[in-house]
Amino acid sequence: MLMVAKKLISLFLLVSFINVSWADSSKYLSDLLRDLSPQRAQELEAVQKNFLRYMLYATGKDDDQKYEIFKRARTYAKWELEKIIYNTRLENSALGPSAETRNVINPPRWTLAEEIRYIENSIPSDYRFDEESVRVLNTLFDNLDERLLNQQFFQINFGGNNLLPDGDIDAQRLLRELVLSQDDRERALLTVNVFEQYFEKNIQRIRSLGNELSGAQRIRFGGPDLERFITQFLNHYYQNLDSDVIRNMLSDFVELGRTPTDSEVMSIVFKNSGPGIGKLFQQLAREPGMDRGLSELLEVLESDNKAVPAHLMREVLEAKNLSYSLSHIEDRPLGTGTMAQVNAAVLELPTGEHEKVAVRFLKPGVREFAEYDIKVLRSFLNLPEISSSYEASFISNLRRIVDSLENFLYSELDIEETVQKQKLAREFYRQTRTVKVEGRTFKVDIDVPRVYQAGGQTEAVHIQEFIEPGVKFSDLNSKLEQKAVARAIVYTWFDEALMGTGFIHADLHQGNFTILPTEKEGHFRVVLFDLGMSEFIDDKLKRAFLLIGSGSNYDSPKLIARGFSVLNDEFDEAALFKRVKSEFAINRHSTENWILWGMRHGLIHSEKLGTLARGASLIRQLPYLISETEMEKTLTLVERMVAKRLIGNTVTRSNMSVLTPRDLLHIGGAFSKKSCTTLVNKIFESSP
């Protein structure tokens, strides 16, 4: 594939020597490019990549469109190759000392169509691959013979590795066919069609991504049913995906410049897919009871996403007609997610003062892509061959996950709702926690960025306080500091969720907060971000969670049944007890898995309780990143805090606990052999 591009570009190079004879131009070109400097070799490789992008852009078009795109590609190549020849002469001191290097075009990665638009906007509107250039090129073809086809200039070292495997493309054969062609249009279509055949093979491989990953044993999580389901769904999704999106993926493979690893294939494919795909796998990975084999895929999905290029970002913000005045918007994003991006900027306040802020905006096209993803997911679950191939409970659980996914996606798309959630989080989470770890005292300030709103007006972007880049949890200086920060976050989360307002940040993994050390030793500021998955749970849900958690970890089917009955007055607690006891004899589930079991069997219809369970499972990952022992220590302290709150509130009757006196009596009976300090011990332990 690259060899074809190299040899075609060699011909375009020759066109730059219109007034030089064939023999002289061939020799001059060989001498000029045989010993390229690293800088010029990189420029030539960039031209090759962009020429391949043009050929990729032409695939699937009709013949008239293909011919026009090929002519534009040829114009681009001549424009860039003239720069490289100029830069090479400059290196060789053939030009004056005041001459400056001319930069070749390097479009930022986004969509293939946007990359081509960027290239063409960079070429002067009056520049053309003119009739004389076409005449010279066709003269070259007309005069090529077997001897000249193998001349040295076709083997010039352009530098770099193969961009894509050559496959079945024979460069010399293509050139011979071009020689036999009759006119410019015929030669152009022949060239484009050769590239199209090659790219089509790669497009079909992506459309069978499920089979490709399964065959490479990259889908190995959650049991055979889920693995088979994921394989079938990926095939269905990519078989129906718009061809332009798949071309975006192939453009990124071209940019990579070599054969990708399996992880790079997954990264490129998923980062060019809709936001629903990434969020679906994130939901599955965090689903209570899910196999940990999803962690590798989750790591790919949670790494940096494809950033919106600076020029396009400015176009998006300018089109919003903001009531605020923003300036000095930085090109490099502070963070890029599956649906939105955050860039630093300067905000002019009503007072005339200026303040540095963070501007969060939705990525172009993300709303339509999210709607498409939900539509495909639902249509797939409704296929007769799918619904009849799995147990009803399996499909029912997946429908629940898709419902949750849809709510999350539309919540993320609602800027106003996100702003309101962040304002609530700032009100509820801002506090200072004092924690002791191995004899040392630490202070941790939990914080949430403030939000800017113009007189309550709903904005099309989310403008918030700028937070200086901090330290990742995993990059803290010592395990001691990690333990202190982990405990402070876990305390705050559980305290607010179960003993406070019921507000929960259900996506609080380590990528959604940053740590800012202060001037004082042992004092940290932890700033929480990405509140899109925040929820409120009411006292009934808190009570159910505590009862189910107590029963699952203290071997009490009666308490678990009581927790389920709290959620629906129509349930017969005695009948529930029999069902739970029967399951208990087979499986000793964790708290989260009992909740999942209840959802599967129709005992729980509240998605918020599932959100609480998933959020609790996620927040517990922080101590696990340090060690399992630290997890146990942290949770023991959390349990003591909860126990103290429960007992204190019940005795004083002020701010009454969500657990009734009868609940506490049942818990006390179940744990009569336990000490008071372990009253609700292990409620939040992870799955075995």
Side-chain angles (χ1 to χ4, degrees):
M1 170 59 77
L2 180 58
M3 186 61 67
V4 178
K6 285 183 177 180
K7 295 193 175 185
L8 288 171
I9 288 173
S10 296
L11 292 172
F12 300 150
L13 274 166
L14 282 173
V15 173
S16 299
F17 304 96
I18 291 176
N19 297 319
V20 183
S21 69
W22 164 262
D24 289 343
S25 64
S26 176
K27 182 179 183 302
Y28 183 82
L29 182 59
S30 296
D31 292 341
L32 187 67
L33 300 180
R34 183 181 295 108
D35 298 316
L36 286 174
S37 68
Q39 292 86 350
R40 304 291 82 77
Q42 287 179 0
E43 290 171 350
L44 270 170
E45 186 172 340
V47 176
Q48 294 158 19
K49 289 178 178 179
N50 288 334
F51 183 81
L52 285 175
R53 286 192 172 91
Y54 269 102
M55 296 300 98
L56 176 59
Y57 187 60
T59 61
K61 306 291 195 300
D62 62 38
D63 284 354
D64 288 342
Q65 291 172 314
K66 287 179 180 178
Y67 184 40
E68 288 302 316
I69 292 171
F70 182 82
K71 289 192 294 184
R72 287 152 55 189
R74 196 166 55 185
T75 298
Y76 156 76
K78 185 171 183 289
W79 169 254
E80 293 290 67
L81 293 169
E82 287 176 358
K83 290 182 188 175
I84 296 173
I85 292 171
Y86 175 91
N87 292 340
T88 304
R89 288 172 173 169
L90 181 61
E91 276 185 337
N92 297 333
S93 301
L95 301 172
S98 62
E100 296 183 356
T101 301
R102 297 175 179 174
N103 297 324
V104 300
I105 302 169
N106 184 26
R109 304 286 75 77
W110 186 240
T111 64
L112 177 61
E114 180 60 32
E115 290 160 6
I116 297 296
R117 183 176 80 100
Y118 183 93
I119 291 172
E120 298 195 338
N121 286 342
S122 303
I123 302 173
S125 58
D126 59 349
Y127 185 84
R128 293 289 184 273
F129 195 93
D130 54 32
E131 291 182 5
E132 180 63 12
S133 298
V134 174
R135 185 192 65 75
V136 172
L137 182 61
N138 285 327
T139 300
L140 294 181
F141 280 121
D142 293 339
N143 287 279
L144 283 176
D145 58 25
E146 192 69 25
R147 177 178 60 83
L148 290 174
L149 277 172
N150 295 304
Q151 278 215 2
Q152 185 180 11
F153 81 90
F154 284 122
Q155 282 78 45
I156 292 170
N157 176 20
F158 279 172
N161 299 319
N162 283 353
L163 304 182
L164 292 169
D166 279 338
D168 299 326
I169 296 180
D170 184 333
Q172 296 300 114
R173 180 180 177 183
L174 171 62
L175 289 172
R176 290 189 183 96
E177 291 178 356
L178 290 172
V179 168
L180 296 174
S181 300
Q182 298 301 308
D183 58 31
D184 188 59
R185 178 184 171 92
E186 185 178 345
R187 284 166 177 157
L189 294 178
L190 175 62
T191 302
V192 173
N193 289 337
V194 165
F195 282 97
E196 184 175 49
Q197 290 170 16
Y198 174 79
F199 281 123
E200 184 59 32
K201 294 178 182 179
N202 290 276
I203 288 172
Q204 292 309 315
R205 290 190 66 186
I206 293 175
R207 291 202 183 281
S208 301
L209 184 68
N211 292 338
E212 291 280 339
L213 294 180
S214 180
Q217 297 186 336
R218 300 308 296 266
I219 299 178
R220 52 180 195 279
F221 43 77
D225 272 356
L226 186 57
E227 291 175 10
R228 181 163 57 94
F229 177 86
I230 293 298
T231 300
Q232 292 174 318
F233 171 70
L234 289 176
N235 287 337
H236 175 80
Y237 182 87
Y238 290 102
Q239 284 166 8
N240 290 279
L241 191 61
D242 191 289
S243 294
D244 286 343
V245 179
I246 297 183
R247 292 188 190 99
N248 298 339
M249 301 171 190
L250 291 179
S251 179
D252 283 356
F253 286 127
V254 166
E255 182 61 27
L256 190 62
R258 54 175 170 76
T259 302
T261 64
D262 287 348
S263 293
E264 286 170 336
V265 170
M266 288 196 297
S267 177
I268 287 174
V269 169
F270 287 127
K271 287 178 182 179
N272 282 281
S273 302
I277 291 295
K279 295 300 180 184
L280 172 66
F281 282 109
Q282 288 174 341
Q283 288 272 58
L284 289 172
R286 291 162 187 166
E287 192 69 14
M290 187 57 63
D291 189 277
R292 291 185 180 273
L294 263 172
S295 59
E296 181 181 357
L297 179 58
L298 189 61
E299 185 176 342
V300 169
L301 294 170
E302 289 186 343
S303 60
D304 287 339
N305 287 272
K306 205 170 187 178
V308 180
H311 71 282
L312 190 56
M313 173 265 295
R314 286 182 169 79
E315 289 179 13
V316 170
L317 292 179
E318 288 172 3
K320 298 295 186 182
N321 296 319
L322 302 176
S323 59
Y324 283 114
S325 176
L326 292 173
S327 61
H328 300 88
I329 305 172
E330 295 184 6
D331 290 351
R332 187 173 181 177
L334 298 171
T336 305
T338 55
M339 302 184 70
Q341 180 168 302
V342 181
N343 286 69
V346 173
L347 171 69
E348 183 177 347
L349 300 173
T351 60
E353 297 176 309
H354 292 80
E355 186 168 336
K356 191 171 185 179
V357 295
V359 181
R360 177 180 177 272
F361 61 95
L362 296 177
K363 289 182 171 182
V366 71
R367 184 179 301 276
E368 294 77 12
F369 223 156
E371 291 171 351
Y372 170 82
D373 285 356
I374 294 299
K375 180 180 177 181
V376 172
L377 273 166
R378 294 204 182 282
S379 68
F380 179 70
L381 289 175
N382 290 330
L383 290 174
E385 60 269 31
I386 297 301
S387 57
S388 63
S389 300
Y390 299 91
E391 291 184 4
S393 60
F394 180 85
I395 296 296
S396 176
N397 189 47
L398 286 169
R399 291 188 194 281
R400 178 185 57 77
I401 292 174
V402 172
D403 289 342
S404 174
L405 176 64
E406 181 175 21
N407 290 335
F408 168 71
L409 289 177
Y410 285 119
S411 177
E412 283 282 284
L413 291 170
D414 190 332
I415 294 291
E416 183 179 9
E417 181 178 336
T418 301
V419 167
Q420 294 306 317
K421 286 181 176 180
Q422 183 163 325
K423 291 171 70 175
L424 289 172
R426 181 171 168 84
E427 177 184 348
F428 299 142
Y429 280 147
R430 290 189 77 203
Q431 56 192 272
T432 297
R433 287 278 178 179
T434 301
V435 294
K436 290 187 177 181
V437 180
E438 298 179 16
R440 283 191 58 186
T441 300
F442 293 86
K443 282 192 174 182
V444 180
D445 298 327
I446 307 294
D447 204 353
V448 175
R450 69 179 178 274
V451 177
Y452 295 85
Q453 285 182 293
Q457 177 178 337
T458 299
E459 297 288 352
V461 297
H462 180 179
I463 303 176
Q464 56 189 315
E465 174 187 2
F466 175 79
I467 304 296
E468 293 290 345
V471 180
K472 288 184 178 181
F473 178 79
S474 55
D475 293 336
L476 282 171
N477 291 330
S478 69
K479 293 291 184 184
L480 211 61
E481 292 178 349
Q482 288 181 329
K483 291 177 182 179
V485 169
R487 288 185 184 180
I489 294 174
V490 172
Y491 291 170
T492 302
W493 193 94
F494 278 112
D495 197 11
E496 195 64 38
L498 296 179
M499 307 306 300
T501 62
F503 186 82
I504 55 174
H505 187 329
D507 196 27
L508 192 52
H509 56 78
Q510 67 165 331
N512 279 343
F513 66 88
T514 191
I515 303 166
L516 301 168
T518 67
E519 295 180 357
K520 298 180 180 179
E521 185 178 357
H523 192 175
F524 299 93
R525 182 187 178 204
V526 175
V527 184
L528 313 182
F529 302 107
D530 200 353
L531 281 298
M533 287 186 72
S534 300
E535 290 279 5
F536 273 104
I537 60 169
D538 58 26
D539 286 352
K540 181 182 287 188
L541 292 178
K542 296 179 195 177
R543 182 183 172 203
F545 189 85
L546 288 169
L547 287 169
I548 293 170
S550 298
S552 69
N553 289 283
Y554 286 93
D555 299 337
S556 174
K558 190 171 185 178
L559 278 172
I560 296 172
R562 184 171 180 78
F564 287 135
S565 68
V566 165
L567 299 174
N568 195 324
D569 296 335
E570 296 178 1
F571 287 153
D572 183 335
E573 191 171 334
L576 273 176
F577 172 68
K578 290 181 180 179
R579 291 184 66 179
V580 172
K581 188 175 182 180
S582 176
E583 175 67 16
F584 204 88
I586 304 171
N587 297 304
R588 298 296 178 92
H589 295 304
S590 65
T591 305
E592 291 91 340
N593 282 345
W594 273 116
I595 291 173
L596 180 60
W597 179 85
M599 288 179 169
R600 286 175 175 171
H601 290 82
L603 304 180
I604 298 175
H605 300 288
S606 172
E607 175 56 32
K608 288 188 176 182
L609 188 57
T611 301
L612 173 60
R614 285 191 294 276
S617 179
L618 187 60
I619 195 70
R620 287 197 317 257
Q621 291 179 8
L622 296 178
Y624 264 125
L625 292 173
I626 307 169
S627 69
E628 191 167 339
T629 301
E630 175 58 25
M631 182 71 217
E632 293 173 356
K633 290 180 179 178
T634 300
L635 291 177
T636 296
L637 293 172
V638 170
E639 291 145 11
R640 289 177 180 173
M641 173 190 73
V642 174
K644 183 177 180 181
R645 293 288 191 90
L646 292 175
I647 296 171
N649 288 340
T650 301
V651 171
T652 62
R653 297 290 182 182
S654 62
N655 189 24
M656 183 71 172
S657 164
V658 295
L659 293 179
T660 66
R662 186 184 174 199
D663 292 335
L664 291 173
L665 181 63
H666 280 285
I667 293 174
F671 308 118
S672 58
K673 295 182 180 180
K674 306 292 182 179
S675 65
C676 292
T677 57
T678 58
L679 180 62
V680 286
N681 192 28
K682 294 186 177 179
I683 287 180
F684 310 110
E685 277 191 355
S686 67
S687 305

